[in-house]
Amino acid sequence: MPEAVTRTVTSPPGLLASLDPLLRDWLPRQRWFAGKGRPVTGFSLVAATDLLPADSRLGLHHVLVRAHQQSAPGGPEEPGDCYQLLIGTREALPPRLAPALIGHVTGGPAAGRTAYDALYDTRPAEVLLEAIRTRARIGGLRFEREEDQEIRAGLVPRLMTAEQSNSSVVYGDTFILKVLRRIVPGVNPDLELPLALAREGGAPVPAPAGWVVAEPDGRSWVLGVLQPYLQGSTDGWELALRELAKGEDFTAEARALGRATAEVHTALARALPTATLGHAQVRQLADGMIARLEEAARAVPALRPHAPALRTTFTALGDLAAEGRTWTAQRVHGDLHLGQCLRAPSGEWSLIDFEGEPAKPLAERRLPQPTVRDVAGMLRSFDYAAHSAEAPVPGWAAGCRAAYCTGYAEAAGVDPRTDPVLLRAHETDKAVYEVLYEARHRPDWLQVPLAAVRRLSAPEPA
Ligand SMILES: Nc1ncnc2c1ncn2[C@@H]1O[C@H](COP(=O)(O)OP(=O)(O)O)[C@@H](O)[C@H]1O
Ligand SMILES: O=P(O)(O)O[C@H]1O[C@H](CO)[C@@H](O[C@H]2O[C@H](CO)[C@@H](O)[C@H](O)[C@H]2O)[C@H](O)[C@H]1O
């Protein structure tokens, strides 16, 4: 086993100051930037570590930076989210790195050089994998590798170009490293849940092979997770759209997805604590849904006319609890949709990306919840796919939704449709989340969850 490499290096003072004006322009343009719509007014440095010696032709700076933003347009400036950046500096950028450009540095220790997003570049990405392989300690960064996990040296990296909430690098079609962009201190479910499942065994979820952690302030911040790359797999969203375009039936896949979801839930319930939700907890759950509805309605005017009807769905849940109904809660995926499901060429489905809804606080994302939270996410996703089809295929979403629940019931022993009030409340909560998500990130898609909101605010058929 290679010895852990320990180096203590921090970036030269003044580096962030010289990058500040460039980052103010570049950061808000990144898909993974969470504070859209409010200008970035400055930065404070959380930690900076040089990953290559200062005399290298290539400067490689690992930077954790807090973006300061106005709380609202025209409002006071306040420290906001913390982001992980891997900043390279070179004399000049070769054309292949043009999409990575951050800007030309005019002052400070890197004056005269060009700064760029180094994840696009081969050598910096190799440095990250090599650090995990050798369990390096560099400055305040800790690179970890699972005991029994062999990582071959020299795997060739490539950055995935898909629009994502984070950035992922694939190494030789063997591993994929997810580099978290907006980072938070504490136990991160994106590492916690796959690791717990791997130790439990048997769930269709890729097992973490390594990870990266920083401890800039005595707390632990998960920065990245390495896992096996499921070569040749297709994500459920792509597959669903492909089948829709051909007018093909997708119910067999939907049923298999239901079974895979149930297998993950069963393993999570074995691996991590569960809870019983009584009156007070369900009241809290319903109140949370109402609060999210109110927040979304404040931000998105088109939602407002539907808010009173949607609210009754949430109060119906509270009423059931008042009658003495209880529910079991456990750890769940938290943001399950077709894009989080990968189908291997063998036909086996795996679930990925256990980060939960990125906008929610970490503590909330880690709470035990009814499993229908994930079921509702998938039901919404079939609806999204049907709306995105070039030509409508009548009954496609309804068929998939039913098949998914059937598959889920086969593996879990409980059909989510037998608890319609709980399921409807969660589906409504998801559609409300999507309205806000689309308004902030993809306004062209807003009509998709709004159509669901119209359906869900109509009285339930008797
Ligand atoms: N283990 C894996 N094998 C193959 N592809 C993967 C794997 N994990 C993630 N991917 C691909 O990377 C994309 C982004 O991964 P994900 O964890 O969902 O990141 P994000 O949080 O940025 O959305 C997925 O949609 C999938 O295409
Ligand atoms: O980035 P993540 O994958 O963690 O999730 C966020 O982005 C998703 C979109 O990329 C968003 O999902 C919504 O759109 C999907 C189609 O693109 C659809 O299948 C989902 O059902 C719908 O919720 C997700 O909500 C958001 O958290």
Side-chain angles (χ1 to χ4, degrees), residues 151-400:
I151 301 175
R152 205 157 46 79
L155 293 171
V156 178
R158 69 181 157 86
L159 180 69
M160 287 192 54
T161 48
E163 292 268 286
Q164 290 175 229
S165 303
N166 298 287
S167 299
S168 297
V169 182
V170 177
Y171 291 93
D173 286 346
T174 308
F175 290 104
I176 178 166
L177 174 65
K178 175 162 163 177
V179 178
L180 299 175
R181 289 303 199 162
R182 189 173 72 90
I183 56 158
V184 286
V187 180
N188 192 315
D190 218 1
L191 175 60
E192 180 197 17
L193 296 191
L195 210 50
L197 289 171
R199 286 168 185 171
E200 180 65 32
V205 171
W211 53 92
V212 187
V213 169
E215 279 161 4
D217 54 4
R219 295 176 298 175
S220 192
W221 303 56
V222 175
L223 303 179
V225 181
L226 183 78
Q227 46 170 262
Y229 182 70
L230 304 176
Q231 200 181 352
S233 62
T234 314
D235 78 60
W237 176 254
E238 204 183 314
L239 203 64
L241 290 193
R242 203 189 294 162
E243 299 303 293
L244 260 167
K246 291 191 283 185
E248 293 283 339
D249 178 61
F250 197 65
T251 54
E253 295 298 356
R255 190 164 167 174
L257 274 166
R259 283 195 295 269
T261 310
E263 284 164 21
V264 171
H265 283 163
T266 305
L268 281 172
R270 273 200 309 264
L272 293 162
T274 61
T276 300
L277 303 183
H279 180 216
Q281 290 86 2
V282 176
R283 192 51 294 139
Q284 222 177 350
L285 183 73
D287 286 349
M289 291 173 172
I290 292 170
R292 286 192 286 276
L293 170 64
E294 282 166 1
E295 187 202 343
R298 272 194 300 276
V300 187
L303 185 61
R304 285 179 207 156
H306 307 289
L310 298 178
R311 206 187 155 98
T312 61
T313 305
F314 302 140
T315 48
L317 180 60
D319 292 348
L320 272 193
E323 288 166 19
R325 274 288 312 269
T326 58
W327 285 271
T328 302
Q330 62 160 85
R331 298 299 299 280
V332 298
H333 180 286
D335 190 19
L336 195 58
H337 56 80
L338 281 162
Q340 316 283 37
C341 307
L342 299 182
R343 186 186 181 278
S346 65
E348 196 195 335
W349 285 96
S350 298
L351 307 193
I352 57 163
D353 193 3
F354 285 74
E355 204 183 359
E357 284 174 9
K360 278 197 180 140
L362 197 65
E364 207 177 309
R365 289 191 253 148
R366 294 187 61 226
L367 286 177
Q369 300 181 61
T371 49
V372 294
R373 159 96 35 216
D374 289 342
V375 171
M378 286 300 291
L379 298 186
R380 290 289 313 117
S381 208
F382 291 120
D383 189 51
Y384 255 78
H387 272 87
S388 308
E390 277 162 33
V393 179
W396 188 92
C400 289

Side-chain angles (χ1 to χ4, degrees), residues 123-154:
R123 178 76 189 113
E126 284 170 354
V127 168
L128 293 181
L129 187 67
E130 190 57 16
I132 294 175
R133 205 177 76 77
T134 56
R135 297 200 172 113
R137 304 280 182 269
I138 309 177
L141 302 177
R142 222 175 66 218
F143 296 84
E144 302 287 1
R145 173 169 55 76
E146 273 289 72
E147 198 58 53
D148 58 352
Q149 188 67 60
E150 286 300 316
I151 301 175
R152 205 157 46 79

